[in-house]
Amino acid sequence: MTHDTALQSAVDLAAKAAAEESTAPIVQGFFDEETFTASYIVHDPATGKAAIVDSVLDFDQPSGRTSTGSADAIIAYVKELGLSVQWLLETHAHADHLSAAPYLQEHLGGTLAIGSEILTVQNVFGKVFNEGTEFARDGSQFDHLFSDGDGFALGDIQAVALHVPGHTPADMAYVIGDAIFVGDTMFMPDYGTARADFPGGDARRLFQSIRRLMHLPDESRVFLCHDYKAPGRDTFVHETTIGAERTGNVHAHDGVTEDEFVEMRTQRDATLGMPRLILPSVQVNMRGGHFPEPEENGTRYLKLPLNTL
């Protein structure tokens, strides 16, 4: 499916959902302040079918210990409402938190999905971490790989997956009724946009992806993967609208040119340090949230490449 066709499908779907309340999903957010990450449960009120978007596995880096408090809160919500999990959606291979998708899948079921360009990420970071041939670079750690414009359903609610590269090569946005889950492409309008300097990132492609999303209906609800509190704002916020982003995003509002954005993003990214959890996060998330295989002593290890990133 071409980009124009894919986008038009998403526009039509979002517009219909905005006009017909019965096709709009219910969205519940869960914010992990430790990693500034918003996870979501989105469900069809008619059927109780649900998707979990960008879940978090708690990780204490000094001790190397994981825990499941954030994921257990999601499980409790799903069970309280009697929902049936149909999808576990990842917008990309996150660099700032570990995914809890395998743990949630074990307890709730569902199909684990990500964009098909995860193969590019696996190839790039397979080399960074010097992974051997036992590390599959074919996306097989996931149950389903979405391509741009692929349609799917959440109960009776239609959905479309859009490829929105730039932050990473594999970023996806999921348009589920009038709700759009944009991952790390955009933040709140007063905070701007995601960095584009990770391996495989590209500021120009990020701008193009953002402008593409801004063709969706203004009233479409936008659910962000992160919030860091913009200067002068004292509360965390991770929901906005396409109209607010299009007219007010401080980095990419209407009138900002592609070259202006690329210059701004390149200069800004040069001042940023690497995310605190990038090395453990990517090693786990490129495996679909699974840990590396245990070594001879039964212990699993994460690598720390020196002077590489």
Side-chain angles (χ1 to χ4, degrees):
M1 183 177 287
T2 66
H3 279 199
D4 286 347
T5 304
L7 178 60
Q8 189 59 54
S9 295
V11 168
D12 293 344
L13 186 155
K16 178 182 179 182
E20 301 177 13
E21 187 174 342
S22 62
T23 63
I26 294 173
V27 182
Q28 176 64 48
F30 294 79
F31 191 74
D32 177 48
E33 193 168 338
E34 182 68 22
T35 61
F36 306 100
T37 301
S39 304
Y40 300 97
I41 301 175
V42 50
H43 78 269
D44 172 14
T47 65
K49 297 293 186 181
I52 299 171
V53 184
D54 290 338
S55 61
V56 173
L57 181 70
D58 303 315
F59 178 63
D60 180 66
Q61 190 169 25
S63 67
R65 290 192 173 276
T66 62
S67 56
T68 59
S70 296
D72 288 335
I74 288 176
I75 292 173
Y77 179 88
V78 168
K79 291 185 174 180
E80 179 183 358
L81 270 64
L83 304 177
S84 174
V85 173
Q86 193 172 5
W87 293 96
L88 301 157
L89 301 174
E90 299 287 343
T91 56
H92 62 294
H94 308 275
D96 38 40
H97 70 271
L98 280 64
S99 170
Y103 176 78
L104 291 168
Q105 189 175 46
E106 179 183 349
H107 287 79
L108 299 172
T111 298
L112 175 56
I114 200 168
S116 59
E117 285 299 315
I118 188 64
L119 278 66
T120 301
V121 174
Q122 290 176 331
N123 277 310
V124 169
F125 281 96
K127 295 174 183 175
V128 169
F129 294 112
N130 196 32
E131 299 288 354
T133 56
E134 66 276 8
F135 171 57
R137 295 161 170 82
D138 58 2
S140 57
Q141 300 88 346
F142 301 84
D143 301 318
H144 185 81
L145 301 181
F146 283 113
S147 295
D148 185 52
D150 281 353
F152 62 107
L154 186 63
D156 294 335
I157 297 176
Q158 296 304 303
V160 176
L162 296 177
H163 185 215
V164 286
H167 173 63
T168 79
D171 281 64
M172 300 297 291
Y174 299 107
V175 181
I176 303 175
D178 72 329
I180 306 165
F181 301 87
V182 298
D184 283 15
T185 53
M186 296 184 286
F187 300 138
M188 288 299 294
D190 60 358
Y191 200 88
T193 59
R195 65 194 298 168
D197 62 332
F198 293 153
D202 187 300
R204 197 167 295 278
R205 295 188 79 190
L206 178 60
F207 179 84
Q208 294 165 359
S209 293
I210 291 169
R211 298 311 304 175
R212 187 174 181 223
L213 289 173
M214 288 181 180
H215 281 89
L216 292 162
D218 280 354
E219 62 271 24
S220 301
R221 295 178 289 161
V222 176
F223 296 92
L224 312 168
C225 191
H226 297 288
D227 186 57
Y228 303 97
K229 292 183 182 175
R233 176 157 55 83
D234 296 327
T235 58
F236 290 109
V237 187
H238 45 86
E239 179 182 348
T240 183
T241 66
I242 286 294
E245 292 283 13
R246 187 175 56 76
T247 60
N249 187 288
V250 293
H251 293 164
H253 59 79
D254 284 353
V256 175
T257 69
E258 184 172 316
D259 288 341
E260 288 171 341
F261 177 85
V262 170
E263 181 180 7
M264 176 281 300
R265 193 69 264 171
T266 302
Q267 292 177 356
R268 185 179 177 88
D269 289 351
T271 70
L272 303 177
M274 284 289 104
R276 178 174 59 89
L277 295 181
I278 184 172
L279 294 176
S281 294
V282 174
Q283 284 178 84
V284 170
N285 295 336
M286 69 182 186
R287 290 178 163 88
H290 297 280
F291 301 136
E293 291 298 316
E295 298 193 6
E296 303 83 45
N297 61 358
T299 300
R300 301 174 190 269
Y301 293 89
L302 294 172
K303 295 179 180 179
L304 184 67
L306 299 178
N307 304 316
T308 302
L309 295 181

